[in-house]
Amino acid sequence: MSAELLDLSIAELATLLRDRKASPVEVTHAALDRIAKVDARLNSFITVTAEGALAAARRAEEEIGAGRWRGPLHGVPIGLKDLFDTAGVVTTNGSRIFKGVVPAVDAVVTTRLKQAGAVVVGKNNMHEFAFGSTTNNPHHGTCRNAWNPDHIPGGSSGGSGAAVAARLCFMSMGSDTGGSIRSPACLNGIVGHKPTYGLVSRRGVFPLSWSLDHAGPLARTVRDAALTLQVIAGHDPGDPASASLAIPDYAAGLEGGVRGLRVGVPREYFFERATEEVESHVRAAIRTLEGLGATIVEVSLPHVELAATAGMAIISVEAADIHREWIRTRPDDYGADVRPRLQAGALFSGVEYTRAQRIRALVQQEFREAMTRADVLAMPNNAIPAPRIDQTTIPVRGKDVWVMALMPSLTIPHNLTGAPALTVPCGFAASGLPVGLQIVGRPFEDATVLRVGHAYEQATEWHRHRPAM
């Protein structure tokens, strides 16, 4: 029974825990046992917090037994990308520089999850300082895809994606600056949600780019992502970008369906940058939404092709500012891929950074105009399925493309806009690796994005597949 619990969704497990038909201690032991058996192959955790997890599980069991059930995350084993501060537990940020550094206080998101009764089983592997798309980490070891360990899990939240897909935890928090929640979710065949910029506090989350960073969940189902968002969303006066607004019941609106909603399909860029195989799966997913009653409309985003270049310029400059002292005094403590990108970020001029921000404003304007014609947009999440770990270029429509540039190319536009973006699995490539549909909405209309994702998920079986670990 213990191992079978790990195949449940958070929503399914929560009912059993609430009704005392399953035990938080039992399910936490099962998760820790599975980590011990499987993670030597995946390397999805940097730190496993077995002692603290079991103590939290015992508290949860006592509270639920006394009739003090806190909600759907109470007693549920989760992970945290290793840039969320955890009081008393080392937070490495995937780096050598922070090796052994133990925060005194939790990140705001960590606090909110603990207050909801979640059981943190460990800190997930990540690309160094979140500045990359592969999670080939030189300091903590290469993380591997849950479906095929010869392939990357995506990044920078690669450990989170692999751990959730492999049933090592039920949800893991990630960060997303250019696609780092959505890409590993897509490549591991699970759900990833980048909430609207400002909806979830980033205080206590080590920054990559202050104006593009988002924090959000990687989970197995859209409902699980909604249940998590319910806990972590809300104003934080300590985060200058945090929005102050009423938080709806995200799970309550999931069953509304898509009938009458307008789904916009971008004419430019997104499909032509993807492989024919990925395009075929995503077009089929859009036809499924149409079959469920959505109206499909074409929208135009004439300058969206500039978003990736502008976004990487903004990230590079802002990251170089954050790392300016360490890159000067401790350059050898950075990995061979991250160090030159930080050094290059310092070479951008103020004029170039300003131009990138002007492109960002243009892209934002075009998205606003497109969203007057549609309630959500639908497009591929990643241009390709997960490449091999040793693969630096990959052919797309007859051209060899650099993997590191390709990974965020279809996701980073939505970091520039700050709009909510969700990926849900929509098929498998001939290689057996997952493909993802990306759904994007208007700012702070996360509930609509989740509703559309849930409707698609319930009409298909892709989310029920699991890797043979």
Side-chain angles (χ1 to χ4, degrees):
M1 174 63 175
S2 297
E4 294 172 359
L5 292 174
L6 298 179
D7 278 329
L8 301 177
S9 67
I10 291 175
E12 292 166 337
L13 177 64
T15 300
L16 297 179
L17 294 176
R18 182 197 61 198
D19 296 341
R20 300 175 65 187
K21 294 179 179 178
S23 154
V25 174
E26 176 189 18
V27 72
T28 300
H29 268 301
L32 292 170
D33 288 347
R34 187 162 175 79
I35 292 169
K37 292 175 182 176
V38 170
D39 204 44
R41 188 180 181 194
L42 292 181
N43 196 32
S44 67
F45 282 88
I46 291 175
T47 302
V48 177
T49 54
E51 184 177 344
L54 289 169
R58 285 190 289 269
R59 286 194 300 272
E61 190 158 320
E62 292 171 3
E63 290 169 350
I64 294 170
R68 299 195 302 273
W69 185 67
R70 301 189 195 183
L73 295 186
H74 201 177
V76 175
I78 67 165
L80 298 170
K81 183 178 183 177
D82 201 20
L83 48 54
F84 287 82
D85 280 350
T86 41
V89 176
V90 63
T91 299
T92 71
N93 301 308
S95 72
R96 177 184 294 167
I97 288 173
F98 277 79
K99 184 178 181 179
V101 174
V102 179
V105 297
D106 284 330
V108 169
V109 163
T110 307
T111 296
R112 290 178 177 176
L113 289 165
K114 288 181 178 179
Q115 288 173 343
V119 174
V120 179
V121 294
K123 310 294 290 294
N124 290 116
N125 203 352
M126 55 180 283
H127 209 104
E128 181 183 9
F129 282 117
F131 203 178
S133 303
T134 65
T135 314
N136 295 343
N137 191 302
H139 313 297
H140 301 281
T142 295
C143 184
R144 298 173 181 273
N145 190 287
W147 290 86
N148 186 330
D150 293 330
H151 291 247
I152 69 168
S156 58
S157 312
S160 297
V164 173
R167 274 55 181 173
L168 308 187
C169 56
F170 289 83
M171 182 279 294
S172 181
M173 284 299 304
S175 65
D176 191 314
T177 309
S180 290
I181 290 170
R182 289 160 289 156
S183 181
C186 170
L187 299 188
N188 286 280
I190 59 172
V191 171
H193 178 216
K194 179 190 78 66
T196 301
Y197 185 81
L199 185 60
V200 176
S201 172
R202 303 163 305 166
R203 183 154 53 106
V205 183
F206 194 86
L208 173 59
S209 169
W210 70 269
S211 72
L212 296 177
D213 290 344
H214 301 63
L218 295 88
R220 296 183 203 155
T221 69
V222 176
R223 183 174 295 279
D224 288 357
L227 293 172
T228 304
L229 184 62
Q230 199 68 49
V231 169
I232 63 176
H235 181 57
D236 170 23
D239 180 349
S242 180
S244 181
L245 74 169
I247 302 300
D249 186 334
Y250 293 108
L254 291 178
E255 302 298 339
V258 297
R259 186 166 299 280
L261 290 181
R262 300 166 298 168
V263 175
V265 179
R267 179 187 308 142
E268 302 89 358
Y269 184 71
F270 290 96
F271 289 92
E272 64 195 41
R273 295 301 173 98
T275 65
E276 292 91 339
E277 187 176 37
V278 167
E279 177 179 7
S280 175
H281 282 292
V282 174
R283 296 278 188 196
I286 293 169
R287 289 194 295 273
T288 297
L289 291 174
E290 185 175 28
L292 294 172
T295 299
I296 309 302
V297 297
E298 187 178 69
V299 298
S300 180
L301 301 165
H303 294 93
V304 71
E305 65 179 324
L306 303 175
T309 301
M312 290 312 300
I314 293 168
I315 292 171
S316 297
V317 171
E318 295 182 0
D321 180 48
I322 292 164
H323 290 266
R324 63 188 182 281
E325 183 60 24
W326 294 321
I327 205 70
R328 183 181 69 83
T329 60
R330 302 179 62 177
D332 292 340
D333 285 335
Y334 288 90
D337 68 326
V338 169
R339 181 176 62 247
R341 275 181 280 148
L342 289 171
Q343 292 169 331
L347 301 178
F348 282 86
S349 69
V351 170
E352 289 167 324
Y353 179 74
T354 301
R355 286 175 176 167
Q357 293 287 9
R358 289 175 64 186
I359 291 172
R360 179 183 190 174
L362 176 62
V363 171
Q364 289 173 335
Q365 178 186 355
E366 291 180 352
F367 267 91
R368 283 194 297 269
E369 291 173 356
M371 297 307 295
T372 64
R373 303 192 61 236
D375 299 296
V376 296
L377 305 181
M379 65 205 71
N381 191 86
N382 277 61
I384 56 172
R388 294 190 318 272
I389 288 171
D390 61 354
Q391 203 165 4
T392 56
T393 63
I394 196 163
V396 178
R397 299 187 187 262
K399 295 181 180 179
D400 285 339
V401 184
W402 185 37
V403 166
M404 288 293 285
L406 192 60
M407 284 294 102
S409 61
L410 307 187
T411 50
I412 198 169
H414 313 305
N415 293 85
L416 267 65
T417 67
L422 177 78
T423 183
V424 294
C426 69
F428 289 87
S431 62
L433 293 164
V435 175
L437 167 70
Q438 186 173 197
I439 302 165
V440 181
R442 302 185 189 98
F444 300 106
E445 294 190 10
D446 296 70
T448 302
V449 170
L450 292 164
R451 170 183 160 193
V452 174
H454 178 73
Y456 174 76
E457 183 182 75
Q458 296 306 297
T460 59
E461 295 293 318
W462 305 117
H463 65 291
R464 301 188 186 281
H465 293 248
R466 56 167 293 178
M469 293 299 299

